[in-house]
Amino acid sequence: GPSDLGQRFSHSAAAPARPPFGIAFDIDGVILRGRSPIGGAPRAIRRLYSDDGTLKIPFLFLTNGGGVPEHRRAHELSQLLGVNISPTQVVHGHSPYRELVDRFKDDLIVAVGKGEPGVVMSEYGFRKVLSIDEYASHFKDIDPLAPFKAWKVAQTDSYMSAKVHPSYDVFSERVKGVFVVSDPVDWGRDLQVLCDILSTGGLPGSGKGEQPPLYFAADDLEYQAAFPSERLGMGAFRIALESIFNKINDHPLKYTSYGKPNPFVFKNAASILEKIVMNMYPNSLTSKEVIDCQFSTIYMVGDNPKVDINGASKAGHPWSSVLTRTGVFRGQDNDPQFPADAVCLISGFFPRPVAV
Ligand code: G3P
Ligand code: MG
C-alpha cells in the first residue's frame, strides 16, 4: 500500500543516512587555552571528517568569544586543527549583531574590544563604525592616564574602518549605539570613554543626555585562557561599567547581553547545524529526505557550567550537555548547580602556575 511505498522510499539504499546527532563545541577551555589546542582536541575534531576531508558529522563552534570576522576565525581554526572549517561553522558571541544593521542605518556606532571590532561590525554591514581606539583618539585628554601608558595603540583596526568610511565629525555627530564585540583591552580608558558616551547622549564633554543603546556580545564573568586559573571576562567588565555608571548618573545603565546561556543562541545554532547538514547532502532527492528528518540530539560540549551547560539545559530538546574538565569546571563529579548530562573524565591539563 502507499505507506509501504513511503517506507521503502525513506529507506532507499541510494540515500545515505543522515547523522542523527550534531555537535556544538565551545572554544575557550575546550578546544583551546589561549592559542594552544588542548590535549586531543585536534584529533577529536579530525575524527568528524572523512579521509577525503569531507564533513562526516555536522558540528560547529559556539563560542562567547570573538573579535575577528567569522571567516578569519574559521581560517585560524583550520590551521590550528588541521581540517577545513567553514565560516558557517563559527558562531561568535557577536555574530547576532548582524541582525541589528537596519536598526542603526547611517548612525555612528562605536565598537569595543580586542582584535578588530570595527572590521567585524563593518563586515556585518554597519555603515558608520569607529573602534573605541579610533574614537578616543579624536578627543584630546579624554584619558588622563594615557601619558602614563607605555604602550602604543595598534592602528590596524581603526585604519581599516577609516579606509572603508570617510572620516566623521565626532564633535557634532552623536554616537547612536555602543557594541562591545570582544573583551575590552584597556579597561581604564574604555570605562572612562564609555561612561562619557553613555552619560551624555553620545557626545563626550557635553551635558547629560539620553543613553544610547549598549550591547554586550556575552556576559561571561570568567573564562579559561592560557593562565592556570580563570580570567575576568566581558561580564566582569559589564559589572565594572554598570556600577560606575550607576554611581555617576541618577538612572541605571540599560544594556542587552547576547551569547550563551541565552536560549536563542542555541536555537540559532541548531538552525545553522540544519544548514550544515543540507550542505553535506547537495543531491536534491536526498535533501528532501534529510529535511524530513531532525536531529535527535545536539551535544553542547563546554567547560563552563553556568554558561554552556545552563544554556543547553534551558534550550531543552534536542540539546544534551557534555561538561569537560579542561577549563572553568574543575569539580570531581558533576556541577551541583548546573549538572551536565555527561561529564568528561579528562584530567591532567592543569600545570601548576609557573614562575617566570
Ligand atoms: O572571551 C571568550 C570567553 O568569554 C568565552 O569563550 O569559547 O569559552 O565560549 P568560550
Ligand atoms: Mg569555554
Side-chain angles (χ1 to χ4, degrees):
S3 62
D4 194 20
L5 187 71
Q7 276 264 299
R8 276 209 327 261
F9 182 73
S10 65
H11 289 102
S12 110
R18 172 189 152 148
F21 66 92
I23 312 175
F25 290 100
D26 178 71
I27 294 183
D28 291 308
V30 170
I31 304 293
L32 303 178
R33 291 191 58 193
R35 290 192 49 83
S36 313
I38 295 173
R43 207 158 21 97
I45 297 295
R46 285 198 289 270
R47 286 187 60 187
L48 306 175
Y49 290 79
S50 306
D51 290 341
D52 67 358
T54 58
L55 198 56
K56 216 160 55 175
I57 301 294
F59 80 94
L60 48 71
F61 294 103
L62 188 58
T63 174
N64 274 357
V68 293
E70 287 72 15
H71 61 86
R72 180 89 57 84
R73 202 42 154 6
H75 182 75
E76 285 170 14
L77 287 166
S78 300
Q79 303 227 300
L80 277 166
L81 303 171
V83 286
N84 184 25
I85 312 273
S86 80
T88 322
Q89 287 173 288
V90 176
V91 183
H92 282 139
H94 52 70
S95 296
Y97 282 173
R98 56 160 72 86
E99 313 296 332
L100 299 172
V101 165
D102 290 343
R103 198 177 300 173
F104 289 88
K105 300 208 163 57
D106 283 317
D107 293 344
L108 175 62
I109 63 156
V110 166
V112 183
K114 70 176 182 185
E116 300 177 332
V119 175
V120 168
M121 297 304 280
S122 298
E123 289 202 10
Y124 287 165
F126 290 87
R127 289 189 278 274
K128 273 192 189 171
V129 184
L130 289 177
S131 69
I132 195 162
D133 287 348
E134 185 169 59
Y135 186 75
S137 74
H138 288 286
F139 295 86
K140 191 172 174 295
D141 299 329
I142 197 166
D143 178 9
L145 304 175
F148 300 93
K149 292 177 181 171
W151 65 87
K152 270 230 171 304
V153 170
Q155 286 299 317
T156 46
D157 185 43
S158 43
Y159 171 67
M160 286 285 290
S161 41
K163 225 169 54 168
V164 179
H165 303 288
S167 59
Y168 314 124
D169 183 3
V170 295
F171 302 105
S172 64
E173 192 157 354
R174 288 177 183 272
V175 175
K176 297 282 174 42
V178 173
F179 292 79
V180 184
V181 170
S182 47
D183 291 320
V185 177
D186 182 352
W187 280 37
R189 184 209 53 190
D190 292 357
L191 290 169
Q192 177 65 71
V193 174
L194 292 182
C195 279
D196 288 329
I197 294 173
L198 297 166
S199 309
T200 59
L203 210 56
S206 66
K208 295 275 184 195
E210 206 195 318
Q211 188 212 309
L214 166 66
Y215 301 91
F216 292 94
D219 198 43
D220 290 10
L221 182 61
E222 296 181 307
Y223 69 104
Q224 187 65 52
F227 194 72
S229 62
E230 300 94 318
R231 300 294 85 197
L232 301 175
M234 196 181 287
F237 179 82
R238 191 264 304 159
I239 292 170
L241 178 64
E242 189 177 15
S243 354
I244 299 166
F245 180 94
N246 291 355
K247 287 267 187 221
I248 59 178
N249 289 281
D250 48 22
H251 52 91
L253 184 73
K254 288 185 284 231
Y255 61 89
T256 308
S257 299
Y258 287 73
K260 301 169 285 184
N262 289 304
F264 72 80
V265 171
F266 291 82
K267 245 199 162 90
N268 178 47
S271 74
I272 294 171
L273 278 167
E274 282 296 335
K275 280 185 207 137
I276 292 171
V277 175
M278 294 304 133
N279 291 337
M280 288 166 66
Y281 300 97
N283 175 296
S284 61
L285 174 70
T286 314
S287 293
K288 165 89 184 79
E289 295 192 3
V290 167
I291 287 164
D292 290 345
C293 197
Q294 295 272 302
F295 288 115
S296 59
T297 312
I298 303 175
Y299 296 99
M300 174 71 227
V301 184
D303 67 304
N304 189 328
K306 197 174 160 212
V307 175
D308 306 314
I309 307 309
N310 180 24
S313 309
K314 281 200 291 193
H317 179 80
W319 288 90
S320 178
S321 57
V322 180
L323 178 58
T324 66
R325 286 203 176 87
T326 47
V328 169
F329 176 72
R330 286 120 202 264
Q332 274 312 300
D333 306 307
N334 211 331
D335 187 73
Q337 203 185 355
F338 303 107
D341 297 311
V343 183
C344 268
L345 296 165
I346 313 169
S347 60
F349 287 110
F350 287 98
R352 267 158 233 233
V354 193
V356 279

